Amino acid sequence: MKLLQDRIIKEGTILPGDIVKVDSFLNHQIDPILLRELGKELTIRFANQGVTMILTIEASGIAIALMTGLELNVPVVFAKKVKSSNISSTFYSTTVYSYTKNIEYGIYVSKDYLSKNDRVLIIDDFLATGHAVLGLINIVRQSYAGLVGVGIAIEKGFQGGGKLLREQGIRVESLANIKALQNGQIIFNN
Amino acid sequence: MKLLQDRIIKEGTILPGDIVKVDSFLNHQIDPILLRELGKELTIRFANQGVTMILTIEASGIAIALMTGLELNVPVVFAKKVKSSNISSTFYSTTVYSYTKNIEYGIYVSKDYLSKNDRVLIIDDFLATGHAVLGLINIVRQSYAGLVGVGIAIEKGFQGGGKLLREQGIRVESLANIKALQNGQIIFNN
C-alpha cells in the first residue's frame, strides 16, 4: 500500500536491533485519517469472508483493529496483557515472547467474547518474528473458532514471522512488507 | 448521552470495590459503531476550541480517543506505561496511582508530539478518582501547552475525580455520569 510505504519512508527511523520506529503515526502518536485508510484497505482484502470479529492485542494493535472493525461492522476484542480484577474469571490464555522488550508475558481473552461460532480476523500493527500473532492464533485454536486470516500494517518480512505463518497455510495480508534494512534505508518487498 | 447510558444499564456489571465493568463494549470487547458515536458527541462538545491534539493513555483510552481524533481531524497521542526501547529518549513523565489495580506506574509522552503550541483535549474511557487524568494534566503542564478540557466516556461521579477537576476550573465533559451504585443498580446523574 503506497500510502503507508510513503509514510514509513518519510517518518520511520531505524533503531539498533532492526527496530523500525514509527511513533509519529502508529505506535505513540496516531494519525486517525491514515489509520482509517489502513482499515479500509484491510476490509477490502478480507471482504466476503464472513468475519464475525477482530482479535488484536493491546496496546498498539487497538487503533488499526478498531478502524478495520468499523469498516467491517464487527466487534473488536483486544487481548489483555494483565489479568486485572476487571476481567472475566474464565478466559483463554497463553504466553508471548516480546522480541523488542526481551520479556515473556501472558495474554488473556475472556471466553465471553470468543467462541467456536466465530470467524476471526487477527489484526496487528507489526509482524516481525510472529510471536504475538502466534499467541493470538493459539487463543483462536483454544476457542475452536475459525481463523479467516491475519491483517498487518507493517510486516518485517526479513524477520521470518510472515513466512512461518504462510507455510502453515494461514492467509497473511500486510499493507507494507519490509524486505530489508540496508545502510539506513528501508527496502520494501513490493 | 442516552445511547451510552442505555448500553451501560444493559451490559454493565458491578464488581466489588465499586468497579463498573463494561468489558462487552469498551474495555475488552469494543463496539466500533458505538465508539464512533461517542467520538462524534465529544467532538460536538469541544467544537471550535482550536484543539490541535488529543492526549490519552494506553490501553482502554485509545479507542475513544481515536474516534474523537478522527472526527476532529487531529492526531492522537497515547501516553505509554512502559518506557520501551522504542520510545524517544526525551519525554515528559509522571507517576499515576491505579485505584482498580492498587499499583503505581509511570507514564511517558515523547516531547516530539506535545509542545507549548498545542491545545490539548484529554480523552479517557473512565473518570473515577481522577488519578490517570491528573497524570495527563501534569504532562500537559510540563509541556506548557494549553489544556482545552477533558472528555470522558463514563464518569463515576461518586468517586470525586470529576469534582476535583472542575473545582480547578478544568472543563470536564462526560457522556455518562454515574451518581451512585445502589443495590446492584447503576444510577445516573442526568
Side-chain angles (χ1 to χ4, degrees):
Chain A
M1 189 185 185
K2 189 168 182 308
L3 181 72
L4 179 58
Q5 287 188 1
D6 289 350
R7 195 69 177 265
I8 295 167
I9 289 170
K10 190 174 165 218
E11 300 181 15
T13 56
I14 301 171
L15 297 186
D18 287 341
I19 290 169
V20 177
K21 182 176 148 178
V22 287
D23 275 8
S24 63
F25 60 85
L26 190 60
N27 292 130
H28 184 26
Q29 180 172 254
I30 304 171
D31 176 344
I33 308 298
L34 174 70
L35 269 280
R36 184 173 55 183
E37 294 307 311
L38 303 188
K40 283 180 180 174
E41 178 64 24
L42 285 172
T43 297
I44 290 167
R45 297 198 188 187
F46 290 101
N48 306 315
Q49 301 288 309
V51 172
T52 63
M53 65 167 288
I54 288 169
L55 182 63
T56 189
I57 190 165
E58 64 177 354
S60 297
I62 293 174
I64 183 167
L66 182 66
M67 288 306 192
T68 311
L70 184 66
E71 290 295 323
L72 278 173
N73 195 16
V74 297
V76 173
V77 174
F78 62 92
K80 299 204 171 193
K81 292 180 182 173
V82 177
K83 190 169 56 164
S84 80
S85 58
N86 272 6
I87 206 167
S88 164
S89 53
T90 57
F91 46 78
Y92 312 105
S93 69
T94 188
T95 56
V96 170
Y97 170 74
S98 167
Y99 174 80
T100 45
K101 291 173 187 166
N102 192 24
I103 52 164
E104 225 176 40
Y105 56 92
I107 60 173
Y108 308 88
V109 172
S110 168
K111 292 187 178 179
D112 291 345
Y113 310 122
L114 172 61
S115 77
K116 63 179 166 51
N117 300 317
D118 279 308
R119 287 181 56 77
V120 182
L121 174 58
I122 291 174
I123 299 277
D124 209 358
D125 55 339
F126 268 90
L127 174 63
T129 58
H131 289 93
V133 168
L134 284 168
L136 293 174
I137 290 173
N138 182 316
I139 279 176
V140 173
R141 300 300 185 216
Q142 289 178 42
S143 75
Y144 298 103
L147 177 64
V148 171
V150 177
I152 298 290
I154 304 174
E155 178 176 349
K156 292 156 80 180
F158 63 93
Q159 291 188 318
K163 184 168 181 285
L164 187 74
L165 295 170
R166 291 179 184 101
E167 283 173 357
Q168 294 180 22
I170 294 164
R171 182 173 168 202
V172 180
E173 293 281 342
S174 51
L175 301 182
N177 193 337
I178 299 173
K179 182 163 62 178
L181 304 173
Q182 286 175 344
N183 306 319
Q185 298 284 308
I186 299 170
I187 317 292
F188 292 99
N189 250 328
N190 40 42
Chain B
M1 189 184 185
K2 189 169 184 309
L3 181 73
L4 179 58
Q5 287 187 0
D6 288 350
R7 194 70 177 264
I8 295 167
I9 288 170
K10 190 174 164 217
E11 300 181 15
T13 54
I14 302 171
L15 296 186
D18 288 341
I19 290 170
V20 177
K21 182 176 147 178
V22 286
D23 275 8
S24 63
F25 60 86
L26 189 61
N27 292 130
H28 184 26
Q29 180 172 255
I30 304 171
D31 177 345
I33 309 297
L34 174 70
L35 269 280
R36 184 173 55 185
E37 294 307 312
L38 304 188
K40 284 181 180 172
E41 178 64 26
L42 285 173
T43 296
I44 291 167
R45 297 198 188 187
F46 290 101
N48 307 314
Q49 302 287 309
V51 173
T52 62
M53 65 167 286
I54 288 169
L55 182 63
T56 188
I57 190 165
E58 65 178 352
S60 297
I62 293 174
I64 184 166
L66 182 66
M67 288 306 192
T68 311
L70 184 66
E71 290 294 323
L72 278 173
N73 194 15
V74 297
V76 173
V77 174
F78 62 92
K80 298 204 172 194
K81 293 180 181 174
V82 176
K83 189 169 55 164
S84 81
S85 59
N86 273 7
I87 206 166
S88 165
S89 54
T90 57
F91 45 80
Y92 311 105
S93 69
T94 188
T95 56
V96 170
Y97 170 75
S98 168
Y99 175 78
T100 44
K101 292 174 186 165
N102 192 25
I103 52 165
E104 222 174 45
Y105 56 93
I107 61 172
Y108 307 88
V109 173
S110 168
K111 292 187 179 180
D112 292 345
Y113 310 121
L114 172 63
S115 78
K116 64 178 165 50
N117 300 317
D118 280 308
R119 287 182 55 77
V120 182
L121 173 58
I122 291 173
I123 299 278
D124 209 357
D125 56 338
F126 268 90
L127 174 63
T129 57
H131 289 94
V133 168
L134 285 168
L136 293 175
I137 290 173
N138 182 317
I139 279 175
V140 173
R141 299 301 185 215
Q142 289 178 43
S143 75
Y144 298 104
L147 177 63
V148 171
V150 177
I152 298 291
I154 305 175
E155 179 176 348
K156 292 156 80 179
F158 63 93
Q159 290 188 319
K163 184 167 182 285
L164 188 74
L165 295 170
R166 291 179 183 102
E167 284 173 355
Q168 294 179 24
I170 294 163
R171 182 174 169 202
V172 180
E173 293 281 342
S174 51
L175 302 182
N177 193 337
I178 299 172
K179 183 163 62 178
L181 304 174
Q182 285 174 346
N183 308 319
Q185 298 285 307
I186 299 169
I187 318 291
F188 293 99
N189 249 328
N190 39 43

